Amino acid sequence: MSRFGTMKIESVNLFLVKMRLRHPFRTSFGIEQDASILLIRLKMGNKIGWGECVAREGPWYSGETINSSEYLISNFIGPWLKKTDLDHPTDFTELVKPIRGNQMTKAFVEDAIWDLFGKINGKSIYELIGGEKSKIPSGISLGIQDDTATLVKKIENALDRKYQRIKLKIEPGMDNNVLEQVRDYFPEIKLMVDANSAYRIKDKDIFVKMDRFDLMMIEQPLQYYDIIDHAKLQKEISTPICLDESIKSVDDARVAIELDATRIINVKPARVGGISETLKIHELALETKIPLWCGGMLETGIGRAKNVAVSSLSTFSLPNDISESARYYTDYIIDPIFELNADGTLSVPQKAPGLSVDIKEEVIKQKSVKKVEI
Ligand code: OSB
Ligand code: MG
């Protein structure tokens, strides 16, 4: 098996890049348009690996932020990396074991290690993890809109482009009433909702009523840390619950499956601590037959390339929240960008090493508002 050998990581650089979303994205926890995105660059010999952090300025999705991430890398992870021999990217899990939580931080450093490892060994992440699909089904996640007419237009556009399922963000006051109208226009489409933890078990009647809309699943209706109330809710409704925020590790996944709190899992490699942990969830899904799909955090090309590679695993059987690059930012930091095929899929790059896309370092440097060398 390929190895890093005895080479150590020589330099660790962080870049804080400003990116503008083409359209503001509204969820039950906030609106995003101008994104600050933290990138990491690891260097070994003449090879470079990149990773993208999905934590943002505020701790609104998880407890992590750009600053907590930079702090951990500057003070702990960066210095540790520079004095450790890693044999394989999965060894990184052991290195960062003393750090509790902070999955997003661990994940993007690990991504850069996978990219670097792939480049040193001439293998793509797709090959390294045992990817099995050359095309992955693409879904679209639509933010909360001011009015239904706008939402209907956005759904129409997405269907024209052949996106394979539509996910709508909901929040109290913008749920069954919106679904009623959307289902009037689109009685047959594959539809699901995501509440980003905006409800509590006392709101269960809302979800009992939601059963009539024939949704593929309801994503993360209750608290971001909860399992047990989701299990109680699942007993009351027939639509499958799909956990997002509540699953931060393979252990969370195991507990949630055993308690029937989740019948489908949205796997975000960034939320569970990285590709290695994702591979463990893939194994669990093989055993339990729970379908997976890959979620998104409005990633730029770097995080997107990783999500695409991971979605090629056999257990990722449902449409993913991985839309084409052009839907998100006005600038691109990878080449080529991800484009939607006519059948609503994205092709998985399989041959080029590491993340399998070129990273445009000049653009990254140009758009950086802060650079840190560790
Ligand atoms: O809950 O899945 C989510 C974006 C930011 C934060 C949380 C979520 C999302 C999305 C967007 O739904 C998915 C995408 O990247 O297209
Ligand atoms: Mg979600």
Side-chain angles (χ1 to χ4, degrees):
M1 201 192 200
S2 357
R3 293 290 170 200
F4 272 123
T6 53
M7 285 204 296
K8 284 193 177 62
I9 286 168
E10 292 147 28
S11 67
V12 178
N13 289 272
L14 295 173
F15 299 87
L16 186 63
V17 183
K18 290 271 183 198
M19 299 283 277
R20 189 167 174 80
L21 281 167
R22 280 176 204 270
H23 307 283
F25 190 79
R26 176 169 158 209
T27 62
S28 62
F29 64 83
I31 304 184
E32 179 158 6
Q33 176 138 43
D34 288 299
S36 299
I37 294 166
L38 189 66
L39 303 174
I40 189 167
R41 188 185 80 147
L42 301 178
K43 197 158 180 275
M44 191 187 263
N46 61 353
K47 303 289 189 207
I48 287 174
W50 287 93
E52 169 183 348
C53 185
V54 300
R56 298 293 210 259
E57 275 164 335
W60 318 135
Y61 169 87
S62 80
E64 293 183 79
T65 65
I66 292 165
N67 285 315
S68 67
S69 202
E70 183 195 324
Y71 174 79
L72 288 183
I73 292 166
S74 298
N75 292 286
F76 308 109
I77 302 174
W80 293 351
L81 264 183
K82 287 167 81 172
K83 53 175 191 241
T84 309
D85 286 324
L86 292 177
D87 244 7
H88 189 271
T90 52
D91 296 345
F92 180 71
T93 309
E94 210 45 48
L95 181 70
V96 291
K97 213 173 223 164
I99 298 173
R100 295 186 180 175
N102 292 282
Q103 286 84 349
M104 292 174 169
T105 299
K106 292 172 182 171
F108 91 111
V109 181
E110 199 196 288
D111 290 348
I113 295 171
W114 280 95
D115 187 28
L116 187 61
F117 185 76
K119 284 168 178 161
I120 288 171
N121 292 289
K123 289 206 166 88
S124 63
I125 292 177
Y126 166 87
E127 286 176 284
L128 291 171
I129 66 173
E132 295 181 57
K133 289 180 280 183
S134 58
K135 282 171 154 197
I136 55 162
S138 206
I140 194 167
S141 169
L142 298 174
I144 297 168
Q145 306 297 322
D146 292 339
D147 54 88
T148 311
T150 314
L151 180 60
V152 165
K153 208 163 275 156
K154 290 203 180 240
I155 296 174
E156 243 155 24
N157 283 339
L159 295 172
D160 283 348
R161 302 295 322 282
K162 304 285 185 254
Y163 277 107
Q164 296 194 16
R165 66 100 174 102
I166 308 290
K167 165 168 138 183
L168 306 181
K169 293 288 187 180
I170 56 166
E171 65 181 8
M174 298 281 263
D175 41 48
N176 287 329
N177 51 341
V178 177
L179 284 168
E180 186 85 60
Q181 299 180 63
V182 168
R183 267 298 185 222
D184 269 352
Y185 280 95
F186 310 102
E188 304 281 343
I189 60 169
K190 279 193 187 165
L191 191 63
M192 62 173 287
V193 292
D194 184 0
N196 288 108
S197 303
Y199 300 84
R200 297 295 174 264
I201 192 70
K202 67 173 168 46
D203 304 315
K204 79 171 167 39
D205 289 347
I206 294 175
F207 298 100
V208 170
K209 288 183 187 132
M210 211 174 274
D211 268 343
R212 73 177 190 277
F213 297 116
D214 188 29
L215 302 179
M216 292 173 80
M217 68 196 89
I218 298 169
E219 184 176 336
Q220 194 72 37
L222 310 180
Q223 299 95 304
Y224 68 92
Y225 49 80
D226 172 78
I227 306 257
I228 210 79
D229 280 354
H230 282 100
K232 283 187 189 157
L233 179 60
Q234 184 68 84
K235 281 200 175 65
E236 308 277 335
I237 63 176
S238 58
T239 309
I241 291 177
C242 168
L243 291 179
D244 172 354
E245 283 90 330
S246 292
I247 308 294
K248 298 184 186 72
S249 64
V250 67
D251 288 335
D252 288 344
R254 193 169 42 74
V255 170
I257 293 168
E258 264 180 42
L259 296 179
D260 194 24
T262 198
R263 293 186 178 167
I264 298 168
I265 299 175
N266 164 342
V267 180
K268 292 175 180 167
R271 191 196 62 229
V272 300
I275 295 174
S276 303
E277 194 74 6
T278 300
L279 292 172
K280 293 180 193 162
I281 296 176
H282 163 69
E283 292 298 326
L284 179 68
L286 285 173
E287 278 167 37
T288 56
K289 310 271 187 285
I290 290 280
L292 308 179
W293 54 278
C294 184
M297 294 288 289
L298 310 175
E299 284 90 344
T300 73
I302 294 177
R304 193 162 307 281
K306 181 268 308 282
N307 286 345
V308 167
V310 158
S311 306
S312 72
L313 292 165
S314 60
T315 50
F316 286 67
S317 54
L318 295 170
N320 307 288
D321 268 353
I322 313 179
S323 303
E324 62 179 349
S325 297
R327 228 205 111 210
Y328 299 92
Y329 298 96
T330 49
D331 297 282
Y332 302 117
I333 57 173
I334 58 160
D335 184 44
I337 61 171
F338 288 96
E339 290 177 299
L340 201 65
N341 297 317
D343 61 352
T345 62
L346 294 180
S347 298
V348 184
Q350 298 170 30
K351 282 278 161 267
L355 286 168
S356 302
V357 289
D358 282 339
I359 281 91
K360 304 204 291 192
E361 187 163 334
E362 282 318 304
V363 179
I364 290 171
K365 286 186 172 156
Q366 214 180 345
K367 300 190 75 58
S368 289
V369 291
K370 183 176 178 183
K371 297 176 191 157
V372 179
E373 169 138 22
I374 291 122

